[in-house]
Each structure stands twice: as structure tokens, then as C-alpha cells.
Amino acid sequence: MFAIIMLLCFPLPVILLGIGGLIDGSMGPKESLLVLLLGLLMLLGTSIYAYFKLLKPWRCPSCKKFFAIKGNGIDELEADEFFVNETSHSVKTSKVETGLGTFKVETPESHTEQVKYTQRNYQKKYICKYCGEEFYKTFSGARMRG
């Protein structure tokens, strides 16, 4: 959400630069109009992106009204269990005595074990506030160790 707001604010300095170039004469009229046009095109592009990122998911697929969808519960479908080989690395420190003195020797070691992970899948139920259409979206939850 924050990234989309920042994308919408990004073209504003370019537009202000074009207007400032026209007012104070630091740029020629052609260059400042070109910068102004570039800023307006960037604003149009980010507005289209924001439409498809923010408004489109909250539009009812049957009656096409905006902000018509409301959640009506989550059902857990199933949990996928899988194993992942995880390797842990450590350093073993030992002392070695020689004729010149005692030295510390570090030996790298690694240990591999299979760890079981569980990833839960959910189905979220949505209802349109206007036409009453019900539909579902499926998504996966976070992986949990254990």
C-alpha cells in the first residue's frame, strides 16, 4: 500500500520541475513542456497501475461495482507436509600442543537433518454487498516448522 502511494507521488516532482522551468525561465519552453508531458505520462501510468492493484481486487465479478466485496469467513482446506534437508554449520575448537607452544585449531563441521514443515491452505469466502454473489479465493498460509 505504501509503495503504491509512493509511486503515485513520484511523478509530482517531475511535473513541478516542468512548471518551474516555464515560470523562472531556467529551461527553454520546449524542454519544460517536454518534462511536464513526461511527468503527466508517469502520473497516468502509475494511476493505471494503482487502479489494477487497489480497486480491481475489491470489485464484484458479477455486478462490477467497486468496494462491494466483504469477507465472510475463512475455511482451512488441508495442510501440506513436506521435508526439507537443513544443514547446520559449526566450528569445533581444539587445542594442539607442539614444541613451540599451545595453538588453537578450528575445524568446520556440518550436520544435515530432515526437518518436517507444514504449509496450510485456506479458502476465504467473499460476498457482494449489492448482489449477494458468493465466491471463494484460495491462498496458502505461512510455513510452520514442526
Side-chain angles (χ1 to χ4, degrees), residues 93-97 102-105:
T93 305
S94 60
K95 291 183 180 180
V96 176
E97 287 192 30
T102 305
F103 296 98
K104 191 187 304 185
V105 178

Side-chain angles (χ1 to χ4, degrees), residues 6-125:
M6 290 304 295
L7 277 175
L8 287 173
C9 294
F10 178 70
L12 294 178
V14 178
I15 293 170
L16 292 175
L17 180 70
I19 292 172
L22 276 175
I23 292 172
D24 66 3
S26 62
M27 287 191 258
K30 287 184 181 179
E31 291 88 7
S32 59
L33 286 176
L34 186 65
V35 169
L36 185 64
L37 182 65
L38 178 69
L40 290 174
L41 284 176
M42 289 170 49
L43 184 63
L44 178 69
T46 54
S47 298
I48 290 171
Y49 174 77
Y51 165 76
F52 283 107
K53 201 68 176 167
L54 291 176
L55 296 179
K56 188 84 170 168
W58 298 106
R59 191 173 183 182
C60 178
S62 62
C63 69
K64 307 293 186 208
K65 292 187 179 180
F66 288 106
F67 303 110
I69 297 172
K70 64 178 181 179
N72 195 22
I74 297 176
D75 297 328
E76 185 175 332
L77 295 177
E78 73 253 356
D80 295 331
E81 293 181 349
F82 55 94
F83 292 92
V84 175
N85 289 333
E86 287 190 355
T87 304
S88 61
H89 300 282
S90 62
V91 176
K92 181 179 179 183
T93 305
S94 60
K95 291 183 180 180
V96 176
E97 287 192 30
T98 63
L100 299 173
T102 305
F103 296 98
K104 191 187 304 185
V105 178
E106 296 179 345
T107 309
E109 295 181 346
S110 63
H111 176 69
T112 303
E113 65 176 309
Q114 279 195 334
V115 178
K116 182 173 129 180
Y117 279 91
T118 304
Q119 183 168 359
R120 303 202 184 282
N121 298 319
Y122 300 96
Q123 187 176 38
K124 189 165 185 178
K125 182 179 177 183

